[in-house]
């Protein structure tokens, strides 16, 4: 479900620990989110979207449009 998070994280060259620190959760939680073992909290998704510069819909796989600017 959250494969885009892992892809974006790897593209940016950041570790799970680093991402977790930026978005307010542990490395273990990031790992579980990426593996689909847990669902990310809305607040974590919003922080990830800001960090990666994409929409939450893109992170969730609801849309292939990365940013709201691409819609216009």
């Amino acid at each position: 479900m959250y494969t885009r998070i892992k892809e974006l994280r790897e593209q940016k060259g950041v570790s799970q620990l680093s991402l977790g620190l930026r978005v307010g959760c542990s490395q273990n939680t990031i790992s579980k989110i990426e593996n689909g073992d847990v669902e990310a909290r809305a607040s974590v998704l919003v922080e990830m979207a800001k960090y990666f510069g994409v929409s939450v819909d893109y992170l969730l796989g609801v849309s292939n449009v990365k940013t709201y600017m691409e819609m216009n």
Side-chain angles (χ1 to χ4, degrees), residues 2-50:
Y2 296 109
T3 57
R4 288 186 172 168
I5 293 170
K6 183 175 182 177
E7 290 170 8
L8 290 166
R9 181 181 59 75
E10 289 176 344
Q11 286 172 4
K12 199 162 181 119
V14 297
S15 66
Q16 290 176 338
L17 176 60
S18 178
L19 178 59
L21 291 171
R22 289 192 168 266
V23 301
C25 61
S26 69
Q27 176 274 326
N28 190 43
T29 300
I30 296 295
S31 177
K32 288 180 179 181
I33 290 169
E34 289 182 353
N35 290 325
D37 296 332
V38 298
E39 291 188 17
R41 294 186 327 257
S43 60
V44 170
L45 288 172
V46 168
E47 290 305 313
M48 285 183 183
K50 288 178 189 177

